[in-house]
Amino acid sequence: MIKEALNVLNEYYGYKDFRKSQKSVIDSILCKKDTLAVMPTGGGKSICYQIPALLFDGITIVISPLISLMKDQVDNIKDLGISAEYINSSLSSNKIQEITEKLNEDKIKLLYLAPERLEASEFCEFMKKLNISQIAVDEAHCVSQWGHDFRTSYRYIGSFIGSLPKRPVVSAFTATATEEVRKDIVKLIELNEPEVFISGFDRENLKINVLKIPNRLKYVLNYISENKDQSGIIYVSTRKEADHIYENLIENNISAARYHAGLPDAERKQNQEDFVYDRINVMVATNAFGMGIDKSNVRFVIHYNMPKNIEGYYQEIGRAGRDGEKSECILLFSAQDIITQKYLIEVGTQNPERRINDYKKLQTMIDFVHHNGCLRKYILNYFGEETEYEDCENCSNCLSEGEPVDRTVEAQKVLSCIYRMKRDFGVNTIVDVLRGSAQKKILQYRFNELSTYGIMKNYSKKDLAEFINTLISHDFISLKEGEYPTVVFSEKSMDILKGEERVIFKESVKVQKITEDNELFGVLKALRKDIASNEGVPPYFIFPDNTLKEMSVRFPSNKEQIFDISGVGQVKYEKYGETFLEIINDYVTKNNIEVKWTDKSEVSLQEKATNNLRSSKVKTQDVTVNMIKEGKSIIEVAKEREITVSTVLGHIEKYINDENSEKVEFNLEGIFTEKEEKEIMEATAELGVDRLAPIKAKVSQKITYDAIRAVILKNYVLRDKL
Ligand code: ADP
């Protein structure tokens, strides 16, 4: 069976092979077993139900929540030569009539439906007469109210399937499902002893960055101007913020549009289309935007604000790099985001259970932005996936980019001012005192008599407020919520004041190009845009970026060779193959390029060789341990490598766990005091060492996670292993 599936993949889609996760899902559906597939966004879910649809007799019904995008989805597969239609409220009754006739004649392979259709009994009666071979439920998490996009009408799917005279095989797909949601899907869609496949959630081509930097807007403007020709999305948490950033982009001549619930429908639709059709590069949007956007060449997703949960965040960043090309995800965190999200939860739901759930999810998001270890690992673990690595080498924590700048002295000035002000005030009042403002309120409280009054005059109001906010986002001080949020000391504040902890920011995070594109790629992109606008379709419908990229480095010169390029199928070749070949051949001749055609198999051999090379490169933990062998303390290594103490400790653990490691003396000096060690050991005797959080809760507040980790390393791991 899978061989026939492979032929269909080749012929229609032009792809040479299934992705690992697709194979087992398709196989299960082809064996007529109900199937639940959890795959990351961009993982290639659609093919998993489309290929069985093509191989089965009869019709596959696809239930999809995205009315506005159904047309695009269906046009896209029609473009591959597959007979598909959709029915939703946007169609005229004549058109619906036309489709029902085609359905009666068994001329349609895939029918896309909005779930609301299943609430209409007349329509369901009609459906019962059809030869339905498969029901595919897309975005299946919408059935669960624990998911983040609950849709009431998804609850009708189960009973609809039950009412059919002959039960078809049912497949359900989602990108984000925690165990709770997964159980709900199985129960509420009434899957029959389903095969459940949870594929690796890792999207290796996405670089994940969390940045806590002052002046986010300036960063965004720099970033976009460095990556002018690339397509990207900027997510914000409120409409107001979307308008604000959009206006700034326009003022800076950046090709941008916006999308949020406050805009008229027509404008939203137009903006979305402009983005999908590559008429504009950047979309500034609230989370109302993006579900089901299949645009495959989104090169960056910036979160200007922290989103409300990991599920939403991972789904949103998943919209980058669907074509598998290198792409970037950047979360710009500011402590104010927490307050905004809490406010949105408060006004967002009356249901107390949901509210508690929302707060729980928000907390995991906050923990994520403060996480010191590998960010990718954090997300994957959240979704229940174990990772083999400690460091992914493709997130901002693992790569540890940016220039570290020591801001301890400035931080001490701020802290001692807060300390002296005695009562809790907001950021603006603290700024006023530090800048020596003569405002009534300041004088009333006699803040002008404090020794810290006016000691940061040289800062502008805005810069100083941003500096304080950056201190908050690193948890060097905290924000206490209330009607007016106030600044209070955190666990770290006293240590900084006493000079026991340093404040080091990665300030000038260098903005870099995401990818270097070659000239022919640009030429092919322009050709694609011309064809797309003639045909009135989005450019990625013609060929995705990775197909053009492959053409631009392999220079296919005839039919046989262009078929070897991933993404060139039968219909696509007939429509565009010759045009692209002509342009490529032209380019090759004009530039005197000597082409030596290499077969796909040879290319993958080369890739393998490069991968081997890559994996034989020096392991990061070895670099750390080598420095320790030179006699450096852990704190020194952390400083020199510009990584956190926690990461160094992680490297050491990994090194020790490697069977071949030799004995090394680790100098844990300075991470904990003798007294702290005693206290931590007492706690571990009672609580064990598997989980750090309960230990942290038990010991004095002042004891850091680093200290706990180091004590465990010394007394348990090192003693046991070496
Ligand atoms: P999802 O619905 O899981 O987010 P899609 O089905 O839209 O993902 O697929 C994402 C991208 O990957 C699309 O551009 C699709 O054409 C491409 N793709 C899917 N399967 C394969 C494959 N086997 N080989 C190459 N590209 C694939």
Coordinates of all heavy atoms in Angstrom, one line a residue, residues 620-651:
T620 N 29.9 20.8 22.9 CA 30.0 22.0 23.8 C 30.4 21.7 25.2 O 31.1 22.4 25.8 CB 28.7 22.8 23.7 OG1 28.8 23.9 24.6 CG2 27.5 21.9 24.1
Q621 N 30.0 20.5 25.7 CA 30.3 20.2 27.1 C 31.8 19.9 27.2 O 32.4 20.1 28.2 CB 29.5 19.0 27.6 CG 29.8 17.6 27.0 CD 28.8 17.3 25.9 OE1 28.3 18.2 25.2 NE2 28.5 16.1 25.7
D622 N 32.5 19.4 26.1 CA 33.9 19.2 26.1 C 34.7 20.5 26.2 O 35.7 20.6 26.9 CB 34.3 18.4 24.9 CG 33.8 17.0 24.9 OD1 33.4 16.6 26.1 OD2 33.8 16.3 23.9
V623 N 34.1 21.5 25.5 CA 34.8 22.8 25.6 C 34.8 23.3 27.1 O 35.8 23.7 27.6 CB 34.1 23.9 24.7 CG1 34.7 25.3 24.9 CG2 34.1 23.4 23.3
T624 N 33.6 23.2 27.7 CA 33.5 23.6 29.1 C 34.5 22.8 30.0 O 35.2 23.4 30.8 CB 32.0 23.3 29.6 OG1 31.2 24.2 28.9 CG2 31.9 23.5 31.1
V625 N 34.5 21.5 29.8 CA 35.3 20.6 30.7 C 36.8 20.9 30.4 O 37.6 20.9 31.4 CB 34.9 19.1 30.5 CG1 35.9 18.2 31.3 CG2 33.5 18.9 31.0
N626 N 37.1 21.1 29.2 CA 38.5 21.5 28.9 C 39.0 22.7 29.7 O 40.1 22.8 30.2 CB 38.8 21.7 27.4 CG 38.8 20.3 26.7 OD1 39.1 19.3 27.4 ND2 38.6 20.3 25.4
M627 N 38.1 23.7 29.7 CA 38.4 24.9 30.5 C 38.6 24.6 32.0 O 39.5 25.2 32.6 CB 37.4 26.0 30.3 CG 37.4 26.5 28.9 SD 35.9 27.5 28.5 CE 36.4 29.1 29.2
I628 N 37.7 23.7 32.5 CA 37.8 23.3 33.9 C 39.1 22.6 34.1 O 39.8 22.8 35.1 CB 36.6 22.5 34.3 CG1 35.4 23.4 34.3 CG2 36.8 21.8 35.6 CD1 34.1 22.7 34.5
K629 N 39.5 21.8 33.1 CA 40.8 21.0 33.3 C 42.0 22.0 33.4 O 43.0 21.7 34.0 CB 41.0 20.1 32.1 CG 40.2 18.8 32.2 CD 40.6 17.9 31.0 CE 39.6 16.8 30.8 NZ 39.7 16.2 29.5
E630 N 41.8 23.2 32.7 CA 42.9 24.2 32.8 C 42.9 24.8 34.1 O 43.7 25.7 34.4 CB 42.6 25.2 31.7 CG 42.9 24.8 30.3 CD 42.3 25.8 29.3 OE1 41.9 26.9 29.6 OE2 42.3 25.4 28.1
G631 N 42.0 24.5 35.0 CA 42.0 25.0 36.4 C 41.0 26.1 36.6 O 41.0 26.8 37.7
K632 N 40.1 26.3 35.7 CA 39.1 27.4 35.9 C 38.0 27.0 36.7 O 37.5 25.8 36.7 CB 38.6 27.9 34.5 CG 39.7 28.6 33.8 CD 39.2 29.2 32.5 CE 40.3 30.1 31.9 NZ 40.6 29.8 30.6
S633 N 37.4 27.9 37.5 CA 36.3 27.5 38.3 C 35.0 27.6 37.4 O 35.1 28.2 36.4 CB 36.1 28.5 39.5 OG 35.6 29.7 39.0
I634 N 33.9 27.0 38.0 CA 32.7 27.0 37.2 C 32.2 28.4 36.9 O 31.8 28.8 35.7 CB 31.6 26.2 37.9 CG1 32.1 24.7 37.8 CG2 30.2 26.4 37.3 CD1 31.3 23.8 38.6
I635 N 32.3 29.3 37.8 CA 31.9 30.7 37.6 C 32.7 31.3 36.6 O 32.2 32.0 35.7 CB 31.9 31.5 39.0 CG1 30.8 30.9 39.9 CG2 31.7 33.0 38.7 CD1 30.6 31.6 41.2
E636 N 34.0 31.1 36.6 CA 34.9 31.7 35.6 C 34.6 31.2 34.2 O 34.5 31.9 33.2 CB 36.4 31.3 35.9 CG 37.0 32.2 37.0 CD 38.3 31.6 37.5 OE1 38.6 30.4 37.3 OE2 39.0 32.4 38.1
V637 N 34.3 29.9 34.1 CA 33.9 29.3 32.8 C 32.6 30.0 32.3 O 32.5 30.4 31.1 CB 33.7 27.8 32.9 CG1 33.2 27.2 31.5 CG2 35.0 27.1 33.3
A638 N 31.7 30.1 33.2 CA 30.4 30.7 32.8 C 30.6 32.1 32.2 O 30.1 32.4 31.2 CB 29.4 30.7 33.9
K639 N 31.5 32.9 32.9 CA 31.7 34.2 32.5 C 32.4 34.2 31.1 O 32.0 34.9 30.2 CB 32.6 34.9 33.5 CG 31.8 35.6 34.6 CD 32.5 36.8 35.1 CE 31.6 37.3 36.2 NZ 32.2 37.2 37.6
E640 N 33.4 33.4 31.0 CA 34.2 33.4 29.8 C 33.5 33.0 28.6 O 33.6 33.5 27.5 CB 35.5 32.6 30.0 CG 36.7 33.1 29.3 CD 37.9 32.4 29.8 OE1 38.3 32.6 31.0 OE2 38.5 31.7 29.0
R641 N 32.7 31.9 28.8 CA 31.9 31.4 27.7 C 30.6 32.1 27.5 O 29.8 31.8 26.5 CB 31.6 29.9 27.9 CG 32.8 29.0 27.8 CD 32.4 27.6 27.5 NE 31.8 27.5 26.1 CZ 31.2 26.4 25.7 NH1 31.0 25.4 26.4 NH2 30.7 26.4 24.4
E642 N 30.3 33.1 28.4 CA 29.1 33.8 28.3 C 27.9 32.9 28.3 O 26.9 33.1 27.5 CB 29.0 34.7 27.1 CG 30.1 35.8 27.1 CD 30.2 36.5 25.8 OE1 29.3 36.4 25.0 OE2 31.3 37.2 25.6
I643 N 27.9 31.9 29.2 CA 26.7 31.1 29.4 C 26.4 31.1 30.9 O 27.2 31.6 31.7 CB 26.9 29.6 28.9 CG1 28.2 29.1 29.5 CG2 27.0 29.6 27.4 CD1 28.6 27.7 29.0
T644 N 25.2 30.6 31.3 CA 24.9 30.7 32.7 C 25.6 29.6 33.4 O 26.0 28.6 32.9 CB 23.4 30.5 32.8 OG1 23.0 29.2 32.3 CG2 22.6 31.6 32.1
V645 N 25.7 29.8 34.8 CA 26.3 28.8 35.6 C 25.5 27.5 35.5 O 26.0 26.4 35.4 CB 26.2 29.3 37.1 CG1 26.5 28.1 38.1 CG2 27.2 30.4 37.3
S646 N 24.2 27.6 35.4 CA 23.3 26.5 35.2 C 23.7 25.6 34.0 O 23.7 24.4 34.0 CB 21.9 27.0 35.1 OG 21.0 26.1 35.6
T647 N 24.0 26.3 32.9 CA 24.4 25.6 31.7 C 25.7 24.9 31.9 O 25.8 23.7 31.5 CB 24.5 26.6 30.5 OG1 23.3 27.3 30.4 CG2 24.8 25.9 29.2
V648 N 26.6 25.6 32.6 CA 27.9 24.9 32.8 C 27.7 23.6 33.7 O 28.2 22.6 33.4 CB 28.9 25.9 33.6 CG1 30.2 25.2 33.9 CG2 29.1 27.1 32.7
L649 N 26.8 23.7 34.7 CA 26.5 22.6 35.5 C 25.9 21.5 34.6 O 26.2 20.3 34.8 CB 25.6 22.9 36.7 CG 26.2 23.9 37.7 CD1 25.1 24.4 38.7 CD2 27.3 23.3 38.5
G650 N 25.0 21.9 33.7 CA 24.4 20.9 32.8 C 25.5 20.2 32.0 O 25.5 19.0 31.8
H651 N 26.5 21.0 31.5 CA 27.6 20.4 30.7 C 28.3 19.4 31.5 O 28.7 18.3 31.0 CB 28.5 21.5 30.3 CG 28.0 22.4 29.2 ND1 28.6 23.5 28.7 CD2 26.9 22.3 28.4 CE1 27.9 24.1 27.8 NE2 26.8 23.4 27.6

